[in-house]
């Protein structure tokens, strides 16, 4: 799609008396009148990262490190993750574009389809994993043996998540605003209950771990928890009124929020032998609170996943609305859960995490090299393929994969760094003129 066509679509949705086809602007820049304040952004991003499965990564760390080393590992990993996502979030706020639409300018109008398939497909898979997990844990809580009961739970919760994503940014904001504070209160209560089991902070610090783990592997685990999902942070930060607001909101969500969930998982593993607070509550006989934590947490997180594959589908097929793609992707994810594929998907989807962070690195490098100090002229056609940046992406993916295979460095960070450095260094071999599609009016600081 040419930049001129993008601008035409934006103008058409903003004429007086007209109603946007989709108020979330999935394939066009978010106009100034639709931008949100810092509190709204923070709520949505914090709700995105307060995700109980992240605790499982923390549980592995809790078995390998003492309290002091544990805090250092979490701080390092969260700092890397938070910095990466904050830069992407800043670009999203400046351009008003989703990650997959930004990929049009980085990879070309046809090359960007790779990003839409990769990001959208991964999110559909994780959506199915979460729906299946909810069904399995609910059946465990009530002792249900019937497949029909488990399937009914999956279908009902998937419908709620799908409806929230269709409603868009507003739906995710209200779900996060209500559930996130309650979930955090409950999680802190479980943490303090855990500390009582070991004699407080002093008792926790005195515990010597049974296992071991290299620091690089541990930091990789922290970064890997949300680096793939964080690559899609612009889907929400594009609603920010300024780049500065987006940066702070990303830091709160991905450094503070994600770090807390990892720490909670580590505490649970050390004290109760179980990193997931949902299962801790089940074991304490608090079935109702455990189910609240399960549903409240995964509802909002999976709605974000549905929203992501919705906007990816809109870009892939050049459609101005995300709704049909949210519904279609939700159906596929639910079917995956119903047939039990979710039990085998996490490892495959985790492998895809190697190939997603380099995409963010290419976008960051290309933006900083070509667009940060220039205004983009209107009406300039985008190339079908930006072969230079596509080549950079392939090389960066290979570097990340080799890093993981031979256990050196932090694979996601290596992929991001290689992509960023090469995209900046090779800019002169790519399109020389600034690409169009984002007007001066939406390039906010």
């Amino acid at each position: 799609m040419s930049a001129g066509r993008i601008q035409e679509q934006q103008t058409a949705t903003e004429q007086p008396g007209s109603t946007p086809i989709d108020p979330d602007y999935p394939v066009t820049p978010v106009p100034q009148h639709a931008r949100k304040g810092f509190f709204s952004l923070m709520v949505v991003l914090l709700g995105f990262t307060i995700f109980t499965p992240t605790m499982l990564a923390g549980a592995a760390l809790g078995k390998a490190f003492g309290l002091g080393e544990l805090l250092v590992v979490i701080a390092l990993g969260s700092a890397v993750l938070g910095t990466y996502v904050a830069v992407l979030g800043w670009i999203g706020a400046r351009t008003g574009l989703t990650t997959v639409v930004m990929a049009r300018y980085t990879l070309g109008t046809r090359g960007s389809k790779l990003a839409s398939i990769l990001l959208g497909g991964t999110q559909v898979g994780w959506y199915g994993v979460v729906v299946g997990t909810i069904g399995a844990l609910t059946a465990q809580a009530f002792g249900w043996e019937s497949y029909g009961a488990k399937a009914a739970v999956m279908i009902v919760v998937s419908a709620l998540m799908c409806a929230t994503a269709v409603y868009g940014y507003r739906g995710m904001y209200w779900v996060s605003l209500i559930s996130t504070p309650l979930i955090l209160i409950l999680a802190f209560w479980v943490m303090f209950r855990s500390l009582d089991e070991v004699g407080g902070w002093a008792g926790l610090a005195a515990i010597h771990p049974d296992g071991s783990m290299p620091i690089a592997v541990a930091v990789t685990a922290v970064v890997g928890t949300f680096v793939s999902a964080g690559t899609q942070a612009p889907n929400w930060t594009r609603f920010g009124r300024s780049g500065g607001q987006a940066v702070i909101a990303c830091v709160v969500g991905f450094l503070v929020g994600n770090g807390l969930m990892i720490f909670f998982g580590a505490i649970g593993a050390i004290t109760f032998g179980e990193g997931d607070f949902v299962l801790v509550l089940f074991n304490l006989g608090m079935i109702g609170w455990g189910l609240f934590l399960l549903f409240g947490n995964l509802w909002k997180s999976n709605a974000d996943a549905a929203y992501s594959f919705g906007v990816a589908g809109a870009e892939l097929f050049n459609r101005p609305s995300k709704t049909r793609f949210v519904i279609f992707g939700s159906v596929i994810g639910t079917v995956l859960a119903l047939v039990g594929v979710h039990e085998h998907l996490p490892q495959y989807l985790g492998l895809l995490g190697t190939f997603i962070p380099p995409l963010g690195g290419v976008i960051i490098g290309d933006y900083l090299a070509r667009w940060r100090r220039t205004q983009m002229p209107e009406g300039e056609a985008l190339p079908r393929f930006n072969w230079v940046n596509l080549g950079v992406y392939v090389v960066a993916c290979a570097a990340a994969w080799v890093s993981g295979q031979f256990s050196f460095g932090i694979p996601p960070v290596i992929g991001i760094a290689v992509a960023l450095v090469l995209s900046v260094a090779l800019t002169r071999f790519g399109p020389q003129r600034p690409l169009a599609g984002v007007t001066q009016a939406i390039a906010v600081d």
Side-chain angles (χ1 to χ4, degrees):
M1 179 184 291
S2 69
R5 184 176 174 188
I6 290 179
Q7 187 61 33
E8 288 173 7
Q9 287 185 355
Q10 179 189 353
T11 303
T13 61
E14 294 183 83
Q15 292 177 348
S18 69
T19 301
I21 295 176
D22 190 320
D24 282 275
Y25 305 91
V27 294
T28 58
V30 177
Q32 284 299 312
H33 68 76
R35 300 295 182 106
K36 313 295 183 181
F38 166 73
F39 180 77
S40 175
L41 281 181
M42 182 190 69
V43 167
V44 171
L45 289 176
L46 193 58
F48 185 37
T49 56
I50 300 299
F51 184 54
T52 52
T54 302
M55 292 180 177
L56 299 180
L61 299 182
K63 297 174 182 177
F65 296 98
L67 180 60
E69 289 182 320
L70 175 67
L71 293 175
V72 171
V73 167
I74 293 175
L76 285 174
S78 297
V80 172
L81 177 64
T83 300
Y84 166 68
V85 176
V87 175
L88 271 177
W90 172 73
I91 296 173
R94 286 179 60 87
T95 63
L97 299 172
T98 65
T99 303
V100 291
V101 175
M102 284 195 289
R104 291 180 178 177
Y105 303 103
T106 301
L107 304 178
T109 57
R110 292 291 181 266
S112 67
K113 305 310 176 187
L114 170 65
S116 295
I117 293 171
L118 184 63
L119 295 177
T122 303
Q123 291 303 301
V124 169
W126 279 120
Y127 183 93
V129 169
V130 171
V131 168
T133 299
I134 290 177
L137 288 178
T138 302
Q140 177 182 334
F142 291 107
W144 294 339
E145 300 293 338
S146 167
Y147 171 79
K150 186 187 302 184
V153 171
M154 294 182 192
I155 292 171
V156 170
V157 298
S158 179
L160 289 172
M161 295 166 180
C162 177
T164 303
V166 167
Y167 197 58
Y169 183 99
R170 292 173 297 171
M172 290 179 289
Y173 168 75
W174 284 109
V175 171
S176 295
L177 182 65
I178 295 170
S179 65
T180 301
L182 296 175
I183 289 169
L184 283 175
I185 290 171
L186 183 59
F188 273 108
W189 181 87
V190 176
M191 183 189 76
F192 289 120
R193 174 71 181 269
S194 300
L195 289 173
D196 287 342
E197 295 288 321
V198 294
W201 293 107
L204 183 66
I207 295 176
H208 297 288
D210 297 327
S212 63
M213 182 184 299
I215 294 291
V217 173
V219 174
T220 298
V222 176
V223 175
T225 54
F226 252 90
V227 69
S228 298
T231 302
Q232 303 192 67
N235 293 352
W236 299 279
T237 63
R238 64 198 176 99
F239 287 93
R241 293 189 182 130
S242 73
Q245 288 183 346
V247 167
I248 298 173
C250 286
V251 168
V252 172
F254 287 84
L255 195 156
V256 178
N258 192 62
L260 274 176
M261 298 309 288
I262 292 173
F263 183 67
F264 289 152
I267 295 295
I270 293 170
T271 56
F272 286 109
E274 177 58 67
D276 190 337
F277 277 11
V278 173
L279 296 180
V280 171
L281 288 168
F282 285 177
N283 293 335
L284 291 174
M286 303 175 67
I287 303 298
W289 284 113
L291 289 175
F292 169 78
L293 181 60
L294 176 69
F295 283 102
N297 178 264
L298 297 185
W299 177 4
K300 57 187 174 56
S301 296
N302 230 27
D304 289 331
Y307 183 89
S308 293
F309 59 66
V311 298
E315 193 286 325
L316 182 63
F317 294 98
N318 294 330
R319 294 292 185 268
S321 174
K322 68 183 183 303
T323 300
R324 73 185 72 179
F325 303 105
V326 171
I327 295 172
F328 184 63
S330 298
V331 170
I332 293 176
T334 305
V335 170
L336 290 175
L338 289 172
V339 300
V341 177
H342 67 281
E343 297 175 0
H344 310 286
L345 275 178
Q347 292 175 335
Y348 167 71
L349 294 172
L351 178 63
L352 290 182
T354 301
F355 305 113
I356 291 176
L359 174 63
V362 174
I363 290 173
I364 292 172
D366 191 59
Y367 180 85
L368 295 178
R370 290 200 289 153
W371 304 335
R372 185 169 65 90
R373 298 183 182 280
T374 61
Q375 299 300 333
M376 304 175 194
E378 296 182 25
E380 183 170 335
L382 299 172
R384 286 176 177 267
F385 298 95
N386 185 326
W387 293 110
V388 172
N389 282 336
L390 284 167
V392 167
Y393 171 72
V394 171
V395 170
C397 286
W401 183 81
V402 169
S403 170
Q405 289 296 305
F406 293 93
S407 302
F408 68 88
I410 304 172
V413 175
I414 287 177
I416 293 167
V418 170
L420 196 159
V421 171
L422 287 181
S423 60
V424 171
L426 298 178
T427 294
R428 66 181 184 276
F429 297 111
Q432 294 299 300
R433 296 177 60 193
L435 298 179
V438 185
T439 64
Q440 181 176 357
I442 65 165
V444 292
D445 293 325

